Amino acid sequence: MKTLIAEDDFVSRVLVQRSLDDYGPVVAVANGQQAVEAFHEALRIEEPFDLVCLDIMMPEMDGMEALQKIRDLEQRFDIQGLQRCKIMMITALGDTKSVIEAFKSQCEGYLVKPFEREDLIAKLVEINALPLGEMPS
Amino acid sequence: MLLQILCHITAALFGLLLIACWWRSRRALHQVAHERDQARLLAAETARQASADAALRNEFVATVTHELRTPLNGIIGMTSLLRSGDLDPRQREYADIIRASAKTLAVLVNDLLDFARIESRHIALEHIPFSLPDIIHDLHVLFAPRATAKGLDLALDIDPHTPAQVNGDPHRVRQILNNLLDNAIKFTEQGEIRIACGPASDGPDRRPIMRLVISDTGPGIAAEMQDRIFDPFCQNDASITRRHGGTGLGLAICRRLSVLMGGSLELSSSDDTGSTFTCLLPLEVSQTTHPDDAQRHDRVTTQMINGRRAHLLLVEDNPVNRRTIQLMLEHLGYQVDCADNGSQALTLLTGQHYHGVIMDCIMPEMDGFATARAIRTGHAGDFDPHLPIIALSAHTLTADRDRALEAGMNAYLTKPVQASELAKVLDGLLAAHYRCDMINSDTENHARERSKEPS
């Protein structure tokens, strides 16, 4: 599984990165703009990401906008349905409005901070980014 | 002549003196008025300043609370990484303690955020139809295991005159009851907790008032403490906080929410009879009647789940399909509500207890896949995130089916759907989820009556 993480807070970024280290290569960036660029580049060289983890409140470009831009890019590259990457929002915003907005913009999963490694892995199994066998007991 | 001049001078002086006196007194009066105006202005300014300060303070608290979550995420997350590695028993104990403390802090941060939002009037109250008895039944299911574990009875007392539907904010009503029940179970060592609900006498403007009462047989609250119990960070005894956990904000939040909704929350208690919290809320009776109300009586069958009529939510944007499937489900014995897109479905799910959802996949605004995913997160509203969802689609493609299942839906049916097919899938899913047999109550009655007839 090839993963892209966009998170401006250093500690949170390291946390997601270390939690996913065992599952394949991880690219970590610090804002939405960089995430969209990295995603585009990966599509261009035909080594797309399988999973994108997006924080919502980030400088330059926030996670909601990055989410929409990534889905637009996929459409431009004619990637549809299950071929699309899985997108997981990881954020301190737990209000219903943000959650609904994110799902309207076609994310697959939503995780509210603070979270533990087991919570993240369980969510990834739920959205089929990781196989069922990885479900933490 | 001289005398005349002197008289004139005296008169003039006297006049001047009078003028001076008048002027002085006038100035004094002015002064008083001026000072009074000043004082009034000052008071207004102080009040304005105070409310501005309060707004600023609350905004500050809200921001700080949000900022607190980021480092808290670091502590909780990193501790979980630490615990997943190789640790000797003592190190594991330390890591466990850090984790428990951080989790307590996380609860406190959430309560503070909620409190700050309420204080700064930053919460928008919903005004949607919902069912009070449904909320109480849900909470009963939720709290019963904890009560039973402590050897307590959790009794329900729902007045039959309680309206089936009222208009208001189901999320906040649930939050109040949730908090009161949590406290009642926490502080009661033996006896029972009672949840009662029913209409109270109408308010002064003839608005119907609902009464929600949570009473316990716990230690009670001393008279001198009863006024302070709704203050933030007041617990009956500081050691209680340490013994029972909690933030000391729960009751303060409940009282403020009740007042915000135009109601009240009062306590009556004595040291030996336990505590009774009475929440009075003006909740108008909802006038929206279900389209199937009129037909309810001539329906042949009724599907029941744990003694309650099975209630489904149908989400479909096409009006013709919606009506067709609704009639089909009603004929099968289900109570059905309809939504024409995903956002509306999420709103309805929070206000009402549904046993299952039947969802079209392709819809404008928010499609079926996105809605199913949102439901499964558990953050999209106050309802069971695992409730059964059946996807309905016009496509027979396997890819579409996979997408629906992957979005967390439990079954997939293609349109046009057959009633028998729908019934089979629904029965299976509902029975599995609610661990009960789908009893077709009227059919059973029919069968019983028929068995009485001589063959």
Side-chain angles (χ1 to χ4, degrees):
Chain A
M1 180 174 70
K2 191 178 167 192
T3 305
L4 173 64
I5 300 165
E7 164 70 74
D8 60 326
D9 175 61
F10 171 75
V11 178
S12 299
R13 192 164 65 233
V14 173
L15 174 59
V16 181
Q17 206 167 349
R18 292 284 170 270
S19 300
L20 299 178
D21 265 350
D22 298 343
Y23 301 103
V26 178
V27 176
V29 297
N31 65 50
Q33 182 65 43
Q34 292 169 353
V36 173
E37 282 162 16
F39 193 84
H40 191 183
E41 180 60 16
L43 282 179
R44 212 181 50 76
I45 60 169
E46 295 185 353
E47 283 179 15
F49 288 100
D50 305 300
L51 170 69
V52 180
C53 297
L54 293 173
D55 180 24
I56 292 184
M57 282 166 63
M58 289 186 289
E60 306 282 324
M61 183 195 289
D62 70 23
M64 289 287 191
E65 195 181 339
L67 167 63
Q68 287 163 10
K69 290 231 152 74
I70 287 174
R71 289 302 184 213
D72 288 348
L73 273 174
E74 286 184 320
Q75 205 149 28
R76 253 176 58 198
F77 280 77
D78 202 26
I79 296 172
Q80 289 172 350
L82 290 177
Q83 299 297 310
R84 303 191 311 177
C85 73
K86 303 277 187 279
I87 302 185
M88 168 80 89
M89 311 306 284
I90 302 180
T91 167
L93 303 174
D95 60 294
T96 312
K97 229 177 96 190
S98 306
V99 176
I100 293 175
E101 196 194 332
F103 279 98
K104 269 189 191 169
S105 302
Q106 302 288 316
C107 73
E108 268 85 13
Y110 198 103
L111 184 62
V112 181
K113 293 176 191 172
F115 64 91
E116 298 189 90
R117 179 177 186 274
E118 292 77 14
D119 302 328
L120 175 61
I121 303 300
K123 279 275 173 205
L124 291 176
V125 174
E126 268 172 36
I127 65 168
N128 265 353
L130 286 174
L132 205 59
E134 294 295 334
M135 189 60 119
S137 48
Chain B
M1 180 72 186
L2 193 68
L3 195 72
Q4 241 182 350
I5 289 169
L6 270 173
C7 273
H8 269 283
I9 289 171
T10 317
L13 276 175
F14 190 69
L16 269 175
L17 196 74
L18 267 180
I19 288 169
C21 282
W22 171 78
W23 190 73
R24 274 188 65 127
S25 71
R26 209 181 94 107
R27 214 177 63 157
L29 269 174
H30 253 272
Q31 189 75 25
V32 169
H34 183 69
E35 274 167 13
R36 201 175 49 215
D37 283 352
Q38 282 287 343
R40 203 180 292 145
L41 276 174
L42 196 70
E45 176 62 18
T46 314
R48 201 190 58 80
Q49 191 65 40
S51 86
D53 281 355
L56 204 67
R57 193 175 58 234
N58 287 315
E59 197 179 323
F60 175 76
V61 172
T63 312
V64 165
T65 312
H66 191 265
E67 291 303 307
L68 276 172
R69 277 191 179 154
T70 303
L72 198 53
N73 185 44
I75 301 171
I76 291 182
M78 286 300 174
T79 312
S80 74
L81 283 183
L82 194 64
R83 290 170 74 253
S84 67
D86 289 330
L87 295 179
D88 68 37
R90 186 174 292 188
Q91 289 169 330
R92 178 163 300 276
E93 191 195 341
Y94 298 160
D96 285 349
I97 292 171
I98 297 174
R99 175 178 186 259
S101 308
K103 290 216 150 182
T104 310
L105 190 54
V107 172
L108 179 60
V109 165
N110 282 338
D111 274 5
L112 263 178
L113 184 62
D114 213 20
F115 187 74
R117 275 207 203 105
I118 294 167
E119 284 285 89
S120 60
R121 301 282 191 274
H122 259 149
I123 62 163
L125 290 172
E126 293 265 20
H127 196 70
I128 54 175
F130 70 97
S131 155
L132 271 176
D134 271 4
I135 287 184
I136 291 172
H137 278 294
D138 283 356
L139 288 170
H140 185 259
V141 170
L142 193 69
F143 281 96
R146 260 183 67 196
T148 315
K150 278 188 87 173
L152 302 170
D153 276 337
L154 189 56
L156 281 187
D157 182 5
I158 298 177
D159 186 328
H161 296 103
T162 309
Q165 297 263 333
V166 290
N167 283 326
D169 191 328
H171 179 79
R172 296 301 181 173
V173 171
R174 191 189 292 251
Q175 187 179 359
I176 293 172
L177 291 175
N178 195 69
N179 232 306
L180 294 177
L181 269 173
D182 185 69
N183 275 343
I185 294 181
K186 203 185 280 176
F187 294 114
T188 306
E189 294 308 329
Q190 56 180 341
E192 71 159 22
I193 318 282
R194 181 168 286 271
I195 317 170
C197 134
S201 56
D202 289 357
D205 45 359
R206 299 185 57 82
R207 280 210 292 176
I209 309 261
M210 295 300 144
R211 180 195 282 114
L212 299 160
V213 183
I214 308 277
S215 47
D216 64 48
T217 52
I221 294 158
E224 64 272 21
M225 286 302 300
Q226 290 184 14
D227 288 338
R228 290 176 46 205
I229 198 98
F230 295 105
D231 292 345
F233 298 112
C234 167
Q235 282 191 339
N236 214 337
D237 169 358
S239 67
I240 288 173
T241 319
R242 285 192 294 277
R243 213 154 11 103
H244 294 278
T247 59
L249 276 172
L251 284 176
I253 290 175
C254 289
R255 154 86 48 102
R256 279 161 178 77
L257 279 176
S258 307
V259 171
L260 217 56
M261 287 192 262
S264 63
L265 176 63
E266 301 297 336
L267 159 72
S268 71
S269 173
S270 63
D271 269 339
D272 48 354
T273 58
S275 307
T276 299
F277 286 90
T278 305
C279 181
L280 295 175
L281 295 175
L283 295 168
E284 68 196 46
V285 178
S286 170
Q287 295 305 323
T288 52
T289 47
H290 287 287
D292 56 344
D293 265 357
Q295 311 157 13
R296 197 165 282 179
H297 298 295
D298 43 73
R299 191 171 295 108
V300 202
T301 60
T302 314
Q303 294 285 356
M304 305 289 282
I305 291 176
N306 298 335
R308 296 168 67 200
R309 182 132 181 261
H311 199 170
L312 301 176
L313 178 62
L314 171 65
V315 195
E316 161 74 78
D317 60 318
N318 179 309
V320 177
N321 283 343
R322 192 164 60 229
R323 191 73 190 124
T324 314
I325 300 166
Q326 186 189 0
L327 287 173
M328 198 181 277
L329 288 168
E330 283 175 3
H331 187 75
L332 289 171
Y334 293 99
Q335 186 181 344
V336 188
D337 287 351
C338 298
D340 42 354
N341 66 55
S343 313
Q344 204 191 349
L346 291 175
T347 310
L348 284 173
L349 278 168
T350 295
Q352 191 91 35
H353 181 100
Y354 291 100
H355 294 99
V357 180
I358 295 164
M359 183 121 64
D360 187 23
C361 289
I362 312 298
M363 289 181 291
E365 180 78 4
M366 186 172 191
D367 68 21
F369 304 115
T371 313
R373 285 194 198 100
I375 289 172
R376 295 299 185 228
T377 56
H379 293 294
D382 253 325
F383 49 82
D384 173 14
H386 308 293
L387 90 170
I389 308 176
I390 298 177
L392 279 185
S393 170
H395 298 288
T396 47
L397 302 171
T398 336
D400 233 43
R401 179 195 162 86
D402 289 350
R403 253 187 99 188
L405 297 183
E406 209 215 34
M409 297 196 241
N410 306 88
Y412 182 87
L413 292 174
T414 49
K415 289 186 268 191
V417 68
Q418 303 292 318
S420 59
E421 205 180 0
L422 195 55
K424 203 176 105 192
V425 173
L426 265 173
D427 280 1
L429 277 179
L430 294 177
H433 187 72
Y434 297 98
R435 293 207 190 86
C436 63
D437 292 326
M438 293 304 296
I439 298 165
N440 204 318
S441 60
D442 291 275
T443 319
E444 207 178 44
N445 288 341
H446 279 300
R448 221 174 285 141
E449 269 159 32
R450 223 173 290 140
S451 70
K452 280 185 217 152
E453 291 166 10
S455 47

